[in-house]
Amino acid sequence: MKKKLIKLLAIVLTIVLGTVGCAKENKNEDSNEEINEYNIQESNYIHLTMLFPKTINPILNRDKSVGYIMNLIYDGLFEIDENYNVEPRLVETYTKSSDGKSINIKLKSDATWHNNKELTSSDVNFTVDLIKKIKDNPYSDLVGNIKSIQINDSKNFTINLNENDPFIIEKLTFPIVSKDKLSSLKTDEVNKYKNNLLGNGPYKIKEYVDRQYMILERNEKYFGDLPENRKEIFVKMVPDKESQTEMVLSLDSDIASVTLSELSKFEKKKEFNITNYEGRNYEMVIFNYDNEFLNDVNFRKAIISAIDRKQLLKEAYVDNATLSHFPLNTTSKYYNKDIKDLDYNKENAIKYLTEALKSVNESLESQKQTDASKQSSQDLKGVIEDNSTGISSNSELSRKDMKEMLKQIELNIVVSAENGERIKVANTIKQNLSSIGIKSVVKELNEKDLAKALNSKEYDLAVVGYSLSSIPDARGILESCNIKDKQFLTYIKSLGNSKSEDETKKVYDQIQKYVVEKGLFISLGILDNFIVSNKRLEGKIYPNDFDIYKGISNLQMSK
């Protein structure tokens, strides 16, 4: 009986081990290292998480958490550094033609796939074609202007564009995938994880268990200058963002990106390091140029000078924001830090306001009829024409005159009812305007009504936010401000026609100076993002919003 029991247990054990073995993909049979998934304090892996992936094909994936992991496995021609500038990755050298319509690129001679096969010009061409072929691809906008790719040899090719694009280099940051591995597959097969286990980056997939975990090992033949003793990475797959945060909090994962609202969970705990960095959420206040007062440069400058933006960021965003005068990351090579925005100065604000009211007074006196849709201007004209108000008929305005004119002005400040920080901004601006005699009312609108108000110009000031693109092209945000200024529009057009980096910098300098000089909008700043890491890891990472694990190769286990 005892022998039968032992034999039965042996059979059961064989079946169990066989079942586990079948669940694994890309298993390293020679590895005897035990995977300690739950007690990371005793693990030699760096433990990360990502959401359950719909695909691990890096050019089809849409989830940020999966994309951050794919950045470790795949490289692009260029990459975005910690300052939101681009730098070559797979590229050895490149030159842009004088007309801006073509780029000659030479790949690094030692750029290879994880199976040691050469990474070639054909892989780049195949990747671009695949992006164009797949509908609703997340990288479609980056390759839309590529007319063709001329392959000169295995490491040299020419990208031909339909038209000049001053930011084409910044657009060549999408990951490159293997033609040899994927070209024979049908469209639906390209998504399957089994067909996407081969990369070209600093880490390669050692083991993959679908919807459970994967292990990344060092790519020993990687061309980059990386530490030889960099740690392997264990990636746990989880159902949602909340799980990622909670796993770090419970010491079951090493690193996670957290929001400002989640930060308080970690700040007073000694087990964690917090790394803050400039994100991509840009906050601003736009003016409605259909309002005659806001169309006056001095009136806009009066408003800007009345607002203490530093204090505003401190109060509304708990000082977790970087003051900025323009919708570009302040670390970008195109952002001119030498340009100084209008300072908070109440005396200057009143001076600008006085000049603005003089100008409006003169304008209204020279008109017999104003646009009927400008009801506020009509009311003000009636006040000016009414001798009982005591407003001077000449260009000089007394303090009494100004107060009488200001009684006719009430600015509508619209803001999303779903964004507490922006509501604080709006109410602070209301208080600041009141301090120089300008009345205003804050209207908290749901997203639908806010969009309607912006589209129909039913506002005077609007507190809004934009997500800065990986491409340092501010034209989209600037054009959305509906700024009615011919010189400004000329600068925007010049930016699109720029054919070199130096020319782009020059035009950007002109635009930034003009924005400040004319007070075209109120630039608040760029919000911080946060990485929380377990203190068992030593070393520094350099995250940006596109690659939160940048520099992870520098991390080691504390002794």
Side-chain angles (χ1 to χ4, degrees):
M1 182 67 182
K2 186 175 181 180
K3 289 183 179 179
K4 287 183 179 181
L5 180 59
I6 293 173
K7 185 175 181 180
L8 180 60
L9 289 174
I11 291 172
V12 171
L13 183 59
T14 301
I15 292 172
V16 171
L17 291 176
T19 303
V20 173
C22 291
K24 299 183 183 297
E25 298 290 338
N26 199 32
K27 173 77 174 171
N28 185 344
E29 300 290 349
D30 297 329
S31 175
N32 294 317
E33 184 176 8
E34 181 182 354
I35 300 171
N36 193 333
E37 177 183 343
Y38 299 104
N39 186 1
I40 68 170
Q41 298 301 117
E42 298 177 3
S43 173
N44 286 322
Y45 293 110
I46 294 175
H47 284 245
L48 307 178
T49 58
M50 71 179 188
L51 302 194
F52 293 139
K54 293 182 179 179
T55 178
I56 58 169
N57 183 303
I59 62 172
L60 302 182
N61 165 63
R62 290 180 173 276
D63 184 84
K64 288 181 72 172
S65 73
V66 178
Y68 294 145
I69 300 299
M70 293 303 105
N71 287 338
L72 302 171
I73 303 168
Y74 290 88
D75 280 339
L77 296 175
F78 297 85
E79 69 175 3
I80 300 169
D81 67 15
E82 63 270 22
N83 296 315
Y84 292 97
N85 296 312
V86 293
E87 59 184 9
R89 180 46 48 190
L90 293 172
V91 172
E92 182 73 39
T93 59
Y94 69 97
T95 56
K96 193 174 179 181
S97 64
S98 58
D99 65 359
K101 290 188 175 183
S102 65
I103 310 152
N104 294 314
I105 291 179
K106 180 181 180 180
L107 296 171
K108 291 182 182 293
S109 59
D110 50 356
T112 62
W113 295 100
H114 292 160
N115 59 6
N116 297 325
K117 289 187 177 181
E118 183 182 42
L119 189 149
T120 69
S121 303
S122 295
D123 291 313
V124 178
N125 189 40
F126 170 75
T127 300
V128 172
D129 286 345
L130 184 60
I131 292 173
K132 289 185 174 183
K133 179 181 177 182
I134 304 296
K135 291 183 179 180
D136 300 322
N137 187 277
Y139 296 107
S140 294
D141 290 343
L142 302 186
V143 302
N145 190 33
I146 296 180
K147 182 178 181 181
S148 64
I149 294 181
Q150 176 186 324
I151 298 175
N152 302 319
D153 58 43
S154 65
K155 291 292 185 180
N156 291 274
F157 59 94
T158 301
I159 297 178
N160 299 305
L161 307 177
N162 292 308
E163 58 186 26
N164 169 61
D165 184 347
F167 304 104
I168 184 59
I169 298 301
E170 284 82 359
K171 292 180 178 179
L172 299 177
T173 52
F174 49 85
I176 303 300
V177 295
S178 170
K179 177 183 178 182
D180 182 57
K181 188 69 176 176
L182 300 175
S183 60
S184 62
L185 301 177
K186 296 178 182 178
T187 302
D188 60 337
E189 294 177 321
V190 175
N191 276 310
K192 295 180 178 179
Y193 73 87
K194 292 181 180 180
N195 298 321
N196 292 285
L197 301 173
L198 179 70
N200 55 42
Y203 292 87
K204 57 185 180 179
I205 298 176
K206 175 182 179 181
E207 185 174 338
Y208 190 98
V209 181
D210 192 31
R211 295 182 68 82
Q212 294 188 45
Y213 68 86
M214 66 175 161
I215 297 174
L216 306 182
E217 64 181 344
R218 298 184 298 270
N219 176 11
E220 301 292 359
K221 295 187 177 181
Y222 187 66
F223 57 79
D225 184 19
L226 298 175
E228 293 183 1
N229 62 340
R230 60 190 188 276
K231 296 300 181 181
E232 293 187 349
I233 298 171
F234 186 99
V235 183
K236 175 70 176 175
M237 300 175 196
V238 297
D240 49 45
K241 176 66 172 67
E242 291 73 19
S243 298
Q244 291 186 289
T245 303
E246 289 304 317
M247 284 188 69
V248 174
L249 193 60
S250 61
L251 305 180
D252 292 324
S253 177
D254 282 314
I255 305 174
S257 173
V258 299
T259 63
L260 180 59
S261 61
E262 295 171 324
L263 195 62
S264 60
K265 297 178 181 179
F266 299 90
E267 285 180 317
K268 295 182 180 180
K269 292 184 179 292
K270 62 181 181 180
E271 298 94 343
F272 304 105
N273 288 316
I274 297 174
T275 302
N276 66 308
Y277 62 96
E278 189 173 296
R280 294 187 296 130
N281 294 323
Y282 173 72
E283 303 289 297
M284 69 187 303
V285 180
I286 60 176
F287 298 121
N288 182 356
Y289 282 77
D290 288 348
N291 181 312
E292 184 171 356
F293 295 103
L294 293 170
N295 204 33
D296 184 277
V297 59
N298 285 313
F299 195 83
R300 296 194 302 271
K301 283 187 171 184
I303 291 174
I304 296 172
S305 298
I307 299 171
D308 187 347
R309 295 185 302 144
K310 290 182 180 179
Q311 185 64 24
L312 186 151
L313 292 180
K314 184 175 183 179
E315 293 178 357
Y317 301 104
V318 203
D319 214 16
N320 289 305
T322 302
L323 195 65
S324 167
H325 64 254
F326 197 75
L328 285 174
N329 282 104
T330 63
T331 54
S332 169
K333 59 189 173 186
Y334 297 121
Y335 183 87
N336 191 335
K337 292 184 178 181
D338 295 330
I339 294 174
K340 303 300 180 185
D341 209 344
L342 287 172
D343 289 331
Y344 166 63
N345 189 309
K346 189 175 177 180
E347 289 184 5
N348 285 345
I350 293 173
K351 289 179 182 178
Y352 286 128
L353 183 59
T354 302
E355 291 301 314
L357 294 178
K358 282 182 183 179
S359 177
V360 173
N361 185 31
E362 292 170 0
S363 174
L364 290 173
E365 282 206 351
S366 67
Q367 294 177 328
K368 290 183 179 180
Q369 187 67 38
T370 58
D371 190 339
S373 66
K374 305 292 188 296
Q375 190 61 47
S376 61
S377 296
Q378 288 283 9
D379 292 343
L380 184 54
K381 184 182 178 195
V383 171
I384 292 174
E385 291 176 341
D386 185 355
N387 291 331
S388 65
T389 63
I391 294 180
S392 305
S393 61
N394 56 40
S395 60
E396 294 300 320
L397 289 176
S398 66
R399 181 173 296 182
K400 181 180 178 181
D401 294 337
M402 286 180 59
K403 287 183 177 181
E404 200 64 41
M405 292 182 74
L406 288 172
K407 286 181 181 179
Q408 313 306 316
I409 302 172
E410 183 176 81
L411 301 179
N412 290 320
I413 306 174
V414 299
V415 63
S416 170
E418 300 169 17
N419 191 304
E421 289 80 12
R422 289 179 193 158
I423 291 172
K424 290 180 183 178
V425 169
N427 284 301
T428 301
I429 289 176
K430 176 184 176 180
Q431 294 171 7
N432 293 153
L433 295 182
S434 178
S435 72
I436 61 170
I438 299 177
K439 293 184 295 182
S440 62
V441 58
V442 174
K443 295 183 177 180
E444 300 176 21
L445 306 176
N446 61 44
E447 291 302 318
K448 182 179 179 180
D449 289 341
L450 179 60
K452 181 181 177 182
L454 294 174
N455 290 331
S456 59
K457 303 290 187 67
E458 297 173 359
Y459 70 94
D460 295 307
L461 280 70
V463 184
V464 295
Y466 295 92
S467 180
L468 301 179
S469 169
S470 61
I471 307 154
D473 185 354
R475 286 177 296 174
I477 295 176
L478 296 175
E479 288 167 357
S480 71
C481 297
N482 295 308
I483 297 170
K484 296 182 178 180
D485 186 293
K486 290 182 178 179
Q487 182 59 57
F488 176 75
L489 297 176
T490 299
Y491 284 140
I492 296 295
K493 186 176 181 180
S494 297
L495 183 61
N497 294 330
S498 171
K499 294 180 175 63
S500 69
E501 183 178 306
D502 287 341
E503 187 177 350
T504 301
K505 284 182 178 179
K506 181 179 179 180
V507 177
Y508 256 139
D509 282 351
Q510 293 172 328
I511 295 175
Q512 291 173 69
K513 289 176 183 176
Y514 195 76
V515 163
V516 172
E517 178 186 336
K518 297 296 183 179
L520 296 181
F521 50 80
I522 306 173
S523 180
L524 299 177
I526 300 173
L527 306 187
D528 287 347
N529 285 349
F530 308 93
I531 296 293
V532 175
S533 58
N534 192 313
K535 280 189 175 179
R536 81 187 190 95
L537 300 179
E538 292 181 341
K540 189 171 178 60
I541 57 175
Y542 306 92
N544 63 51
D545 198 46
F546 302 100
D547 188 357
I548 63 171
Y549 302 128
K550 193 171 184 63
I552 196 171
S553 296
N554 299 323
L555 299 182
Q556 298 295 323
M557 310 305 174
S558 59
K559 297 178 181 180

